[in-house]
Amino acid sequence: MMYFDDLKIGMTTDIEPALIKKEKMLSFANDYDNVPLHTDEEYAKTTVFGKLIAPGVMSFLEVWAKYLEVDFFGEQLLAGKSTKIEWLKPVFADDILTGKATVTRLQKRSEKNGLAEVSIDAYNQNGELVLTAVTEAIVKCRMIKAEPDSNGCISIEFEESNCRSVAQDNGNVIGECDFTVTGSTWTITHTGVDPAYGGKGIAKRLVNRIIEEARVRQIKIIPLCSYAEKMMTGKEEYKDVLENNRQNK
């Protein structure tokens, strides 16, 4: 059960087998997908499938129920946003579906939550891929308390629309780190802190706040301003986020 901040693109989890039971197929079809292909055995024999096939949504839900046993989000889930399902092979009674869930996209929405995309591939007992699904969910962020100091409580916030991180002391702006956006690259152009707050590590926190967001979005950073360049260049802990030709300067 992970917060949005704990998720990484490429994380996977195996989904336990789901048995497709005939009685459940018929019950679901009669209630929600009442067409002969799902409910009339004699008719189904005349089709290319030769027998009843499970309703597609029911097949997905059987796999989804098993996924929820190993759910990435658990109690940190705020809401579902969308699900897109593609059916590739028919599913029959007594088929056994297994699958794998993968985190395929992450997008920070605010300080409180982010959008996480989970892709599921489900296979039958013959190893055939029968369906894929992509689900978007809104997941809580881990709330980080502002660090207090002798001058009060200094908070560091990320303002995507203003292309900056900003430091505030009881609502008063006392520092900021600005960046520009070019494709999948952010260029840090300026980092400044009110001299009255010097020596408190605020500038580093401002730059690190932008780095955190860049990692979530898989964005590379060019540290153009002198402070960010000195802080990041040649440092192993920032190698993953530095734009390639800046890593070893």
Side-chain angles (χ1 to χ4, degrees):
M1 297 184 182
M2 289 181 278
Y3 287 93
F4 179 84
D5 318 70
D6 303 322
L7 297 167
K8 303 294 182 186
I9 291 176
M11 280 182 169
T12 63
T13 186
D14 291 324
I15 301 171
E16 288 296 309
L19 173 63
I20 306 300
K21 298 179 180 178
K22 186 175 181 179
E23 60 270 26
K24 290 185 72 172
M25 281 174 48
L26 290 169
S27 176
F28 186 97
N30 283 316
D31 286 341
Y32 304 109
D33 199 359
N34 194 0
V35 298
L37 191 57
H38 302 318
T39 59
D40 188 331
E41 292 197 67
E42 293 305 314
Y43 171 81
K45 290 177 183 178
T46 69
T47 69
V48 294
F49 305 111
K51 54 184 175 179
L52 292 174
I53 65 172
V57 174
M58 179 259 186
S59 299
F60 164 70
L61 289 175
E62 289 291 322
V63 175
W64 181 255
K66 291 295 184 180
Y67 160 71
L68 290 179
E69 296 176 3
V70 289
D71 184 13
F72 286 115
F73 318 131
E75 294 178 356
Q76 313 317 327
L77 174 71
L78 291 173
K81 183 175 182 291
S82 70
T83 295
K84 179 182 178 181
I85 310 168
E86 185 173 359
W87 294 280
L88 306 172
K89 292 277 186 181
V91 173
F92 304 101
D94 298 324
D95 276 359
I96 299 174
L97 306 185
T98 56
K100 183 181 290 291
T102 304
V103 177
T104 47
R105 186 167 70 91
L106 296 169
Q107 180 182 348
K108 190 77 171 286
R109 288 161 44 101
S110 70
E111 294 300 303
K112 296 181 179 180
N113 64 71
L115 186 68
E117 178 186 272
V118 174
S119 297
I120 291 176
D121 294 331
Y123 299 83
N124 63 21
Q125 64 277 7
N126 300 317
E128 299 172 311
L129 182 63
V130 298
L131 68 85
T132 62
V134 179
T135 295
E136 293 178 313
I138 300 171
V139 184
K140 292 179 188 177
C141 287
R142 189 185 300 279
M143 301 303 290
I144 301 174
K145 295 181 180 179
E147 299 173 19
D149 66 13
S150 59
N151 290 290
C153 192
I154 309 300
S155 65
I156 307 293
E157 299 178 4
F158 181 74
E159 297 180 351
E160 185 170 8
S161 60
N162 294 323
C163 293
R164 71 173 185 171
S165 60
V166 60
Q168 297 186 58
D169 181 3
N170 295 317
N172 299 312
V173 174
I174 55 141
E176 65 181 87
C177 182
D178 304 299
F179 63 93
T180 60
V181 179
T182 305
S184 59
T185 301
W186 290 351
T187 300
I188 297 178
T189 57
H190 170 260
T191 305
V193 177
D194 186 322
Y197 292 82
K200 300 180 183 298
I202 296 172
K204 184 174 183 178
R205 290 173 62 195
L206 285 164
V207 175
N208 274 331
R209 190 68 187 87
I210 291 176
I211 292 170
E212 290 170 7
E213 296 294 333
R215 283 186 171 127
V216 168
R217 295 164 169 78
Q218 295 190 306
I219 295 290
K220 292 296 185 180
I221 288 179
I222 297 175
L224 195 60
C225 87
S226 57
Y227 179 85
E229 182 177 27
K230 182 178 180 181
M231 172 181 160
M232 296 179 67
T233 303
K235 306 292 177 54
E236 187 66 27
E237 63 263 40
Y238 301 119
K239 188 174 181 181
D240 65 308
V241 77
L242 271 173
E243 195 268 338
N244 290 337
N245 62 14
R246 294 266 170 173
Q247 291 182 8
N248 299 311
K249 279 193 171 186

